[in-house]
Amino acid sequence: MTWMSILVAIVLAFNRWVIYYFGLLNGVYLLLFLVSFFEVMRFVRRTFFSDYEQILKSEMTWPISIIVPAFNEARTIVETVRSLLAVNYGQFEVVVVNDGSTDSTLERLVETFELKRTDRIYRRTLPTGPVRGIYASLDHPSLIVVDKEWSGKAGALNTGINVSRYPLFCSVDADSIIEENALLRVVKPFMEHPQEMVAAGGIVRIVNGCEVREGRVVRIGLPRKSLPVFQVVEYLRAFLGGRIGWSSLRSLLIISGAFGLYRKSDVIAVGGYDGSSETEDLELVLKLHEHLRRSGRKYRIVFVPDPVCWTEVPSTFRVLARQRNRWHRGLLQSLWRHKRMMLNPDHGVIGMLALPYFLLFETLGPFVEILGYVMVALSYFLGLLNVDFFVLFMILAVFFGVFLSVAAVLLEEISFRRYPGWEHLALLVLAGVLENFGYRQVLALFKVKAFYDFLRRRKAWGRMEREGFRAAPERPGAA
Amino acid sequence: MPILIADSDAVVRRFVGALLANNGYRVHEAADGDAALRAAAELRPRLVLLDVVLPGKDGFEVINVLKSDPVTRDLPLMVLSVRDREEDVVKALGLGAEDYMIKPFSTRELLARIRKILNRGR
Amino acid sequence: MRAIMIQIVTVVGALLAGLTLAIVINKARREMSEAIDRRRRALLEPAVFEYLGAASSKPLSGYLPKRLSRRDRRLVEEILLAAARIVKGDTRDRITAALEGHGSVQGAIRSLRSRRRFKRADSAEDLGLMRSREAVEPLVALMNDPEPEVRIRAARALGIIRGTTSIRPLVRALADPSRWSAIRVAEILINVGAEAVDELLAAYETLPRHARISALDVLGRIRSLRAIGLMKRCLEDPDPDLRARAAHGLGLIGDSGTAPDLIKALADREWPVRAMAAKALGRIGNPAAIPSLREAMKDRQWWVRANSGEALRGLGQAGREALIDIPFARHMAVSQLEEGRIIEQSVSDLTSADPERRAAAIRFIDRVTASARVDERTRQAAEATQESVRRALGDVLKTPGPGDRGRP
């Protein structure tokens, strides 16, 4: 056999496997979409306006501690806290944790809300970095500000958990906007299944292009730039087409750090947020799953599609690359840490379906995709490319890609309809088509790069830990 | 001079608006805190009927702003809200609202209270 | 191979086109329907509102156009139900009458038998808003629905309609095996209020244990004086949960004549009972409880100490004084004074025009300092507030108070 024939054999084999892979991937997506579709319909019918009124007025409603880690957020922190204090909910407190900011985050808070130092007593249930002081406001009894030395977002959240008073806590990013009724909506599953509920996440929508006044979205719109518009479609697909489906299969693995509600005692039981994880939100949910599955308790971790958290997404490639790199490294890190759950029948759908899905499609997918393009070029030069077939295959791939995006837009249209105009609809569908030419490929490249970084860092970390160093502080609130 | 109704719920605005209109008052509606403040400054209404739960600037803030501005300080304010907690009522009255009614409300009672406030101002 | 591929592509393409078309058609239809709704609503709403505001006995149909389409009938029902959420009294009765005349009540009763549970729940909910007595019997029957969500909505509707016939099944539903349903039923009964008391007292003995706990809670939160006898008896019950609930309930009712019973409960074997008794004593505000509460600050259980501290804080001057020089649980005592902003209050009283208040404030701060409790806040208040306060506070802190010898 010549070199050539070996190469030809490899290329042909790869091409065949790619077709299988492609079929499987889209089959799974389609299935997930169908599950999501029925779940959304069920959700819409099950939603009674009066339930929220009841939750608002009932004395049985769980009080909530909203925890806001803040690192150099002087620009927006006052507005964020104002809008959080105005949230429509019965009993709640806002715990801002100033995570060693080097700007005037603390000063601005102290000034605006007339904060005073108190010696509030709290239990250090979770280990965290040193706290410099706790501040309270006379005019706003439900606001507490904790000033601590820098320890990263996970440490800040853990401090917030320690200081918080209530049995449920809600993590909120300092630069995100929570809709007025979001707490009422996200707490609802806790009211319905008080014994079983452990965590609930809401939907994250993109604020770029919306008009914001005084920490409130007053007019919803789509971003002007193309990069954020692609992300709008991507987020719709991820939340409405993905998380709803996973949630109804009882294997939701991601609750966005930007907005999630947790039962404090369970989070404490797994040791709180993990400071060594790149994506502490994902790691926490996985830890909760592993712990609760092992304990054999009946539990629920769900996604609730209508409480909205508005967040700003990167509008430049550079920032997007950094964000995705971190996300993907975090995913790889968590998959690696919880590898025992993988294909473990004890972990039910999570072990047998959700985790393999993340490994097979989220982790390996980008490689297959990038390699696929290389192989196409190679096939062409080797004269192996059946041009007809190739063109058809590409059309099919694009069709499927568009299909999933359009399907997500459909879910949005039949349920929540946050984007009211026809021009929004047209733009979203257009973005669903165009993202297949460039945006997706770039995302795949980001992920391949993240995989490489992950392998490199793992080595680096091992070394540093032995020498007693901590990883150099990256901006903790990035994303 | 009209009566200003500030409520986020369109049904409440229209219902109370129709009620007052049928009783010979002129009515102006505002859907959020900022609109209420603007209307209060421009129209110089004889009474503001507002909910404490308003999007944007909430009702308490609206009361605060109106009561601390010398131009609108004497403008009578009345709260009409589903919030029935003692703290809310005490806070609103403490900030200077003339009266506080809880939804659901009796229409006759609402009219009687409005009449009383307007007569007092005369 | 190629042919299959072409077929697949065509199918997926058609699916895609279908999906897009579905979105567009769905949106167009909805928007059109909404536009018509808006137009008709603008016409119907003033008529309905006029009927509601009128005092005459003319029925609603007299105000509406002669011929109503199905859409119109639905809209009228929607308008009436929306109005039902915001009014009470006379207008509310007019809404009920209109809905009965309009056929809405009968329609909703019919849909209670629907096979779809959402529909049953929805109709039960609407019937509550409609408040028609005609619905009581069908709703009581619905309390046996296999679906808990439906049962709870039936219960809520009955709670809104009220009357003995609707309250009795609610009291029985306190025994619902699902704890959560029971809690929600309890809440409904609390909203019913005084009307539910007699039924609850009469049924108490027949209820199972967990329902009794809920019943005591409900009676306490309704704050019915008629329940005091039962609560006192329950303080002697062998079941500690019932004793704790009863103590809590007495606190909610707030009759200061029950203080002796609660003081006795403060020495209960079980700490939850003690904690609840302490809390209750704080609520009813009888100063006779101060010595016992002071004693309870020694309790081994954190909750009992916390509740006792809070209770003392609420018991006026005497209670606060008891907190200052408490020899145990100092941290707790001071945090109570802190949270109640009592220290702060005294600091600002230092510049009061009233000499008596000033003297009282000086005495108070003196004693706080004497028990070595010059805390962060006091110092800070001295730094932050206006000049005169700062000076006055400085003076107090400089002159050694009578208890200064005790300073470590």
Side-chain angles (χ1 to χ4, degrees):
Chain A
M1 269 213 285
T2 61
W3 276 108
M4 210 45 165
S5 61
I6 293 177
L7 192 60
V8 167
I10 289 177
V11 169
L12 284 177
F14 179 85
N15 286 354
R16 170 160 321 154
W17 281 104
V18 159
I19 292 175
Y20 294 150
Y21 182 88
F22 177 83
L24 188 64
L25 175 71
N26 284 297
V28 169
Y29 278 157
L30 205 62
L31 219 65
L32 213 53
F33 166 70
L34 285 177
V35 173
S36 299
F37 180 81
F38 287 111
E39 189 60 27
V40 166
M41 295 299 273
R42 224 170 67 89
F43 181 85
V44 170
R45 266 184 312 187
R46 209 180 45 190
T47 304
F48 291 88
F49 170 75
S50 66
D51 289 353
Y52 299 117
E53 223 167 55
Q54 291 281 320
I55 291 173
L56 186 63
K57 287 198 161 187
S58 169
E59 276 193 38
M60 310 283 179
T61 301
W62 302 87
I64 294 178
S65 299
I66 303 173
I67 301 178
V68 191
F71 175 76
N72 290 351
E73 304 279 359
R75 201 169 50 86
T76 54
I77 191 71
V78 168
E79 210 167 274
T80 303
V81 171
R82 274 239 173 84
S83 82
L84 285 175
L85 287 172
V87 126
N88 192 19
Y89 197 75
Q91 201 179 359
F92 69 95
E93 62 175 355
V94 176
V95 182
V96 180
V97 184
N98 176 38
D99 190 23
S101 295
T102 49
D103 67 357
S104 59
T105 303
L106 182 67
E107 290 73 17
R108 297 224 43 201
L109 285 170
V110 167
E111 202 178 293
T112 317
F113 299 101
E114 296 181 23
L115 298 175
K116 287 190 176 168
R117 255 183 117 97
T118 69
D119 7 310
R120 174 155 163 164
I121 305 149
Y122 67 95
R123 270 162 70 173
R124 282 180 48 106
T125 340
L126 297 170
T128 63
V131 168
R132 296 190 202 130
I134 299 181
Y135 298 79
S137 165
L138 297 181
D139 299 335
H140 306 272
S142 51
L143 174 66
I144 290 113
V145 175
V146 184
D147 182 32
K148 72 187 289 282
E149 278 166 30
W150 186 87
S151 64
K153 193 168 173 187
L157 283 162
N158 285 340
T159 309
I161 293 173
N162 283 344
V163 174
S164 67
R165 268 182 295 199
Y166 297 139
L168 301 182
F169 77 86
C170 180
S171 69
V172 173
D173 276 355
D175 53 1
S176 297
I177 297 170
I178 301 294
E179 275 194 358
E180 236 160 46
N181 291 322
L183 281 189
L184 282 179
R185 292 172 191 276
V186 77
V187 84
K188 193 173 168 222
F190 283 86
M191 304 293 294
E192 287 166 345
H193 307 281
Q195 259 105 28
E196 296 169 18
M197 275 303 296
V198 170
I203 191 166
V204 174
R205 288 174 185 270
I206 292 174
V207 81
N208 306 42
C210 298
E211 193 183 322
V212 178
R213 224 185 297 143
E214 295 181 28
R216 197 167 58 95
V217 174
V218 289
R219 200 184 46 77
I220 295 173
L222 285 170
R224 291 268 171 77
K225 287 176 147 186
S226 62
L227 200 57
V229 176
F230 287 141
Q231 290 176 75
V232 171
V233 176
E234 191 193 356
Y235 275 48
L236 280 181
R237 213 169 43 218
F239 282 95
L240 297 179
R243 290 198 198 170
I244 291 187
W246 288 120
S247 172
S248 76
L249 295 172
R250 298 225 168 177
S251 43
L252 181 70
L253 295 190
I254 307 179
I255 289 178
S256 299
F259 182 43
L261 184 65
Y262 303 84
R263 183 191 299 278
K264 196 159 82 182
S265 57
D266 288 317
V267 172
I268 289 173
V270 298
Y273 285 92
D274 192 326
S276 65
S277 170
E278 290 286 340
T279 46
E280 64 294 320
D281 42 1
L282 168 73
E283 177 62 23
L284 176 66
V285 177
L286 271 171
K287 273 204 292 191
L288 285 170
H289 272 302
E290 184 159 14
H291 171 77
L292 291 159
R293 276 276 171 189
R294 268 228 211 103
S295 70
R297 200 179 106 196
K298 217 175 153 212
Y299 72 99
R300 285 170 196 255
I301 292 178
V302 303
F303 171 74
V304 195
D306 63 346
V308 178
C309 165
W310 295 91
T311 199
E312 191 158 342
V313 296
S315 51
T316 62
F317 267 103
R318 210 170 47 84
V319 183
L320 183 70
R322 208 169 54 208
Q323 180 199 49
R324 295 309 164 97
N325 191 280
R326 191 176 64 84
W327 284 4
H328 204 64
R329 267 186 292 134
L331 173 69
L332 294 169
Q333 210 179 7
S334 290
L335 285 180
W336 179 250
R337 279 192 201 175
H338 297 274
K339 53 186 180 295
R340 269 165 311 182
M341 294 167 79
M342 186 78 71
L343 294 177
N344 183 343
D346 293 347
H347 286 280
V349 187
I350 296 179
M352 301 309 286
L353 197 67
L355 284 172
Y357 164 88
F358 274 100
L359 181 71
L360 203 58
F361 299 134
E362 293 286 322
T363 317
L364 295 181
F367 286 98
V368 176
E369 195 168 340
I370 299 296
L371 214 59
Y373 293 116
V374 175
M375 286 295 182
V376 165
L378 213 56
S379 310
Y380 180 76
F381 286 120
L382 293 175
L384 292 169
L385 193 68
N386 179 339
V387 177
D388 274 4
F389 187 81
F390 169 71
V391 169
L392 283 171
F393 186 79
M394 281 319 283
I395 292 176
L396 190 63
V398 170
F399 271 10
F400 257 119
V402 177
F403 180 85
L404 291 168
S405 300
V406 173
V409 175
L410 173 73
L411 284 181
E412 168 77 8
E413 268 299 309
I414 59 172
S415 52
F416 308 110
R417 296 194 287 273
R418 291 304 168 116
Y419 298 102
W422 283 96
E423 72 280 11
H424 296 146
L425 186 63
L427 191 55
L428 287 177
V429 172
L430 185 68
V433 177
L434 290 182
E435 66 163 358
N436 292 290
F437 307 100
Y439 181 67
R440 285 173 61 129
Q441 289 76 7
V442 168
L443 288 191
L445 275 176
F446 288 164
K447 287 181 178 171
V448 171
K449 167 81 164 49
F451 198 95
Y452 171 72
D453 289 349
F454 168 69
L455 293 178
R456 228 185 36 184
R457 285 232 186 156
R458 257 179 61 75
K459 259 202 247 154
W461 258 332
R463 199 177 58 239
M464 283 204 285
E465 263 162 15
R466 268 194 306 279
E467 290 170 8
F469 286 119
R470 289 295 310 252
E474 190 193 351
R475 183 185 180 276
Chain B
M1 286 192 299
I3 293 179
L4 175 63
I5 306 171
D7 200 302
S8 55
D9 184 346
V11 175
V12 173
R13 287 200 306 269
R14 290 202 298 263
F15 178 75
V16 177
L19 179 75
L20 294 178
N22 288 340
N23 282 276
Y25 298 104
R26 277 207 300 129
V27 181
H28 185 85
E29 295 176 13
D32 61 41
D34 297 297
L37 284 175
R38 239 177 297 124
E42 282 166 20
L43 300 172
R44 313 293 306 281
R46 52 208 289 213
L47 170 72
V48 182
L49 196 60
L50 79 171
D51 196 337
V52 292
V53 188
L54 285 176
K57 284 204 174 57
D58 72 8
F60 296 118
E61 255 184 285
V62 172
I63 299 177
N64 213 353
V65 172
L66 290 178
K67 284 293 167 190
S68 51
D69 183 344
V71 182
T72 50
R73 198 174 43 209
D74 298 326
L75 176 58
L77 305 173
M78 178 169 172
V79 177
L80 182 65
S81 178
V82 274
R83 287 273 193 98
D84 57 355
R85 281 183 313 183
E86 205 176 324
E87 306 99 88
D88 293 321
V89 181
V90 171
K91 187 173 171 191
L93 295 178
L95 285 171
E98 257 64 35
D99 205 345
Y100 196 112
M101 264 186 92
I102 290 161
K103 284 185 230 164
F105 59 92
S106 145
T107 48
R108 277 162 58 189
E109 194 181 327
L110 179 72
L111 286 171
R113 285 177 193 251
I114 288 178
R115 247 175 242 133
K116 188 157 170 245
I117 293 177
L118 293 180
N119 286 340
R120 205 186 314 149
R122 207 161 281 162
Chain C
M1 188 66 177
R2 187 160 167 261
I4 299 176
M5 199 67 182
I6 289 181
Q7 264 173 9
I8 295 179
V9 169
T10 326
V11 168
V12 174
L15 217 58
L16 187 58
L19 203 61
T20 317
L21 208 65
I23 295 178
V24 171
I25 292 176
N26 174 45
K27 192 174 173 88
R29 240 191 45 199
R30 209 193 46 246
E31 289 201 345
M32 217 154 71
S33 169
E34 278 172 2
I36 301 176
D37 272 10
R38 262 198 306 279
R39 237 190 18 238
R40 294 302 294 171
R41 189 184 268 268
L43 194 82
L44 296 168
E45 210 179 59
V48 175
F49 288 169
E50 195 191 336
Y51 158 79
L52 292 179
S56 79
S57 59
K58 193 162 77 163
L60 173 63
S61 53
Y63 293 81
L64 295 172
K66 277 276 152 349
R67 217 168 269 142
L68 293 179
S69 65
R70 271 180 66 170
R71 178 189 295 272
D72 292 342
R73 302 187 72 81
R74 192 198 72 214
L75 285 172
V76 168
E77 190 179 316
E78 272 177 32
I79 295 167
L80 284 167
L81 288 178
R85 288 177 198 278
I86 52 179
V87 295
K88 63 178 186 189
D90 259 13
T91 321
R92 197 73 168 70
D93 295 339
R94 287 180 76 78
I95 290 175
T96 304
L99 286 163
E100 281 171 351
H102 193 65
S104 303
V105 174
Q106 297 75 5
I109 290 176
R110 270 197 305 279
S111 351
L112 285 181
R113 285 196 298 271
S114 162
R115 248 192 290 156
R116 284 159 54 203
R117 61 194 167 115
F118 295 116
K119 186 110 195 199
R120 296 201 298 277
D122 234 354
S123 311
E125 176 118 1
D126 286 349
L127 282 170
L129 273 174
M130 294 178 188
R131 264 200 186 165
S132 169
R133 299 226 169 256
E134 289 173 34
V136 170
E137 225 169 290
L139 283 171
V140 170
L142 200 67
M143 294 282 289
N144 295 318
D145 198 277
E147 199 60 45
E149 265 315 294
V150 178
R151 289 204 298 275
I152 204 71
R153 273 166 229 281
R156 201 187 291 159
L158 286 170
I160 297 173
I161 301 175
R162 304 192 183 185
T164 354
T165 33
S166 59
I167 291 171
R168 198 162 297 157
L170 286 179
V171 172
R172 271 202 307 268
L174 277 179
D176 195 297
S178 146
R179 202 178 81 91
W180 190 238
S181 295
I183 288 177
R184 288 163 80 180
V185 169
E187 195 137 274
I188 291 164
L189 282 168
I190 291 161
N191 282 329
V192 171
E195 284 176 57
V197 172
D198 286 331
E199 287 294 328
L200 279 163
L201 290 176
Y204 183 81
E205 296 298 332
T206 66
L207 292 173
R209 176 177 170 276
H210 72 274
R212 289 185 183 190
I213 293 177
S214 311
L216 286 177
D217 201 40
V218 172
L219 285 167
R221 294 202 6 219
I222 295 175
R223 307 189 63 177
S224 166
L225 293 173
R226 273 176 292 164
I228 290 179
L230 173 68
M231 300 259 184
K232 281 185 177 177
R233 272 203 309 286
C234 288
L235 279 180
E236 312 285 328
D237 199 282
D239 184 335
D241 285 344
L242 280 175
R243 293 205 299 278
R245 271 297 120 191
H248 186 235
L250 284 173
L252 291 175
I253 295 172
D255 176 8
S256 92
T258 56
D261 304 271
L262 286 169
I263 289 172
K264 219 166 89 198
L266 207 50
D268 198 281
R269 286 188 313 281
E270 302 285 339
W271 72 262
V273 184
R274 298 200 295 276
M276 283 302 163
K279 193 170 182 151
L281 282 167
R283 285 225 169 126
I284 65 176
N286 187 337
I290 291 176
S292 318
L293 284 170
R294 229 178 93 96
E295 207 50 31
M297 291 291 283
K298 277 193 230 167
D299 203 286
R300 256 186 305 154
Q301 266 297 328
W302 185 88
W303 273 112
V304 181
R305 297 198 300 274
N307 285 356
S308 303
E310 203 179 319
L312 283 171
R313 186 180 98 198
L315 280 172
Q317 193 59 31
R320 287 172 214 167
E321 306 241 333
L323 270 178
I324 303 170
D325 40 24
I326 221 155
F328 22 78
R330 278 203 171 154
H331 213 40
M332 178 76 69
V334 171
S335 75
Q336 284 302 336
L337 291 171
E338 275 264 297
E339 259 185 50
R341 305 213 185 120
I342 289 160
I343 297 179
E344 208 166 276
Q345 179 61 43
S346 315
V347 170
S348 64
D349 274 359
L350 284 176
T351 50
S352 164
D354 178 1
E356 224 160 88
R357 273 182 91 160
R358 219 160 46 224
I362 292 176
R363 253 195 332 272
F364 190 84
I365 293 176
D366 237 12
R367 297 184 56 187
V368 175
T369 350
S371 59
R373 296 284 95 192
V374 196
D375 68 297
E376 197 69 26
R377 175 79 73 85
T378 322
R379 250 186 285 132
Q380 248 220 331
E383 286 159 16
T385 41
Q386 78 254 43
E387 177 71 35
S388 49
V389 173
R390 222 179 307 150
R391 207 176 317 121
L393 187 62
D395 288 347
V396 176
L397 291 177
K398 249 181 276 159
T399 38
D404 208 35
R405 277 153 280 136
R407 223 164 176 174

